[in-house]
Amino acid sequence: MAERLKIWGKCIRKQRVSQNITAQDLCERLDISRPTLVRMEHGEGNVNAALYLAALNILGVLAFAVPELDITLWQMDHGGKRARPDVDGSDYF
């Protein structure tokens, strides 16, 4: 995970600069302090991962950093069976 945060941090910095977004503007949009943004851009692990994702989203590159999960990884198929047994206990898998 540490290596991914470093890459995300570099991406945030590059995209922010290339899109002419000031550090102050990005900080305001993320509701964070300047030191937090500096830590993010250095890929430090003591910054909440949700902030990295929010920054990547604001910069328009979230889909590149975190591709969509394959539908088979999150869609549940119970085949009509209940996840819990009936009250009488007769509806087990």
Side-chain angles (χ1 to χ4, degrees):
M1 185 68 174
E3 186 61 30
R4 179 161 294 193
L5 293 179
K6 295 253 187 236
I7 292 168
W8 286 355
K10 288 178 183 180
C11 180
I12 290 166
R13 168 96 175 133
K14 180 180 179 185
Q15 291 302 313
R16 179 180 66 76
V17 171
S18 69
Q19 295 178 35
N20 295 317
I21 298 172
T22 66
Q24 180 178 343
D25 184 42
L26 188 56
C27 287
E28 288 173 5
R29 292 177 74 181
L30 290 167
D31 194 28
I32 61 173
S33 66
R34 177 67 191 260
T36 300
L37 179 60
V38 169
R39 289 195 312 271
M40 283 176 61
E41 290 184 346
H42 285 104
E44 294 183 17
N46 61 350
V47 177
N48 188 319
L51 286 175
Y52 282 96
L53 298 175
L56 293 165
N57 188 47
I58 287 170
L59 296 167
V61 296
L62 180 63
F64 298 105
V66 185
E68 273 190 45
L69 287 173
D70 185 283
I71 193 169
T72 60
L73 296 173
W74 59 268
Q75 188 177 50
M76 298 177 69
D77 181 16
H78 294 297
K81 294 184 180 182
R82 294 174 49 123
R84 295 183 181 192
D86 282 337
V87 176
D88 67 2
S90 64
D91 190 20
Y92 286 97
F93 289 97

